[in-house]
Amino acid sequence: MELFNVVFRTFFFYFFITLAYRIMGKREVGQLGIIDLIVSILIAELVAISIENINDSIFLTILPITLLVGLELLLAYISIKSRTFRTIFGGKPSLIIVNGKINYHEMVKQRYSMDDLLLSLRQKEIRNIEEVEYAFLEPNGKLSIFKYNFFRLKTAYPMPLIVDGTIQDKALKYIHKTKSWLELELKKKSLNIKDVFYAFYRKNKIYLVKKSETLK
């Protein structure tokens, strides 16, 4: 009877957790954010405890897992609506390589070592850092790499100036512009910051998507 109980719980939670992850819309493990990872660890622990303690009611595990799934969905919704919340809990990309040069200050800030950087480059089959024009350390820990073109001509990376109606101060600082300059440029187009869903700067020109142009 005890063996049957363990087998039953194992199969039950296999399908139950599969359903839960389908509801949460999980991505591959390497793309999990902090909140996703915490929820995944807690669910795994709850299931392991339930399989070991066969004398406890199975509902004592189903209830907290259901609550965790609901919480994750709620936080995911808030994350979509609030960039501030998304940045605090999910982080944001960090520029590690700029025009073939390493941004050591940002590496120290992110506690990202040279060994980590070289490993990521090798995995992309890149032998020399000078082959890389831009490299971003994403919130999930992966390195996004943009190599130089064939003629090694510098390309202007599209710096995001506005995201979800919020000014990106670091991007403005990087292109040596101010908030007043941005507001003036938008005023020329009869727009203000809150009217803009996304705007980026490239080759001395601002490209933007207005909130009215996005799908409802």
Side-chain angles (χ1 to χ4, degrees), residues 112-148:
Y112 194 70
S113 69
M114 275 299 299
D115 288 334
D116 295 328
L117 177 60
L118 293 174
L119 174 61
S120 296
L121 293 178
R122 288 196 298 271
Q123 291 174 338
K124 299 284 187 178
E125 299 183 354
I126 296 175
R127 302 178 183 179
N128 196 324
I129 291 175
E130 294 180 353
E131 296 179 32
V132 180
E133 187 172 11
Y134 297 100
F136 289 85
L137 181 62
E138 304 294 352
N140 61 10
K142 288 189 175 181
L143 193 69
S144 297
I145 298 171
F146 300 86
K147 298 174 66 175
Y148 275 107

Side-chain angles (χ1 to χ4, degrees), residues 151-165:
F151 297 101
R152 292 188 62 81
L153 298 176
K154 289 185 177 181
T155 58
Y157 184 81
M159 299 299 296
L161 301 181
I162 301 175
V163 180
D164 289 353

Side-chain angles (χ1 to χ4, degrees), residues 78-91 163-164:
I78 296 174
S79 178
I80 292 173
K81 294 295 183 179
S82 172
R83 179 172 174 79
T84 301
F85 180 89
R86 187 164 65 248
T87 300
I88 291 173
F89 286 92
V163 180
D164 289 353

Side-chain angles (χ1 to χ4, degrees), residues 64-114:
I65 290 177
T66 302
L67 291 175
L68 284 172
V69 171
L71 177 62
E72 203 279 341
L73 292 175
L74 175 62
L75 294 179
Y77 178 78
I78 296 174
S79 178
I80 292 173
K81 294 295 183 179
S82 172
R83 179 172 174 79
T84 301
F85 180 89
R86 187 164 65 248
T87 300
I88 291 173
F89 286 92
K92 55 185 178 181
S94 300
L95 195 55
I96 299 297
I97 298 178
V98 186
N99 295 326
K101 297 181 179 179
I102 298 175
N103 185 351
Y104 290 105
H105 175 74
E106 191 64 27
M107 286 184 64
V108 172
K109 182 179 177 182
Q110 299 300 326
R111 296 182 294 280
Y112 194 70
S113 69
M114 275 299 299

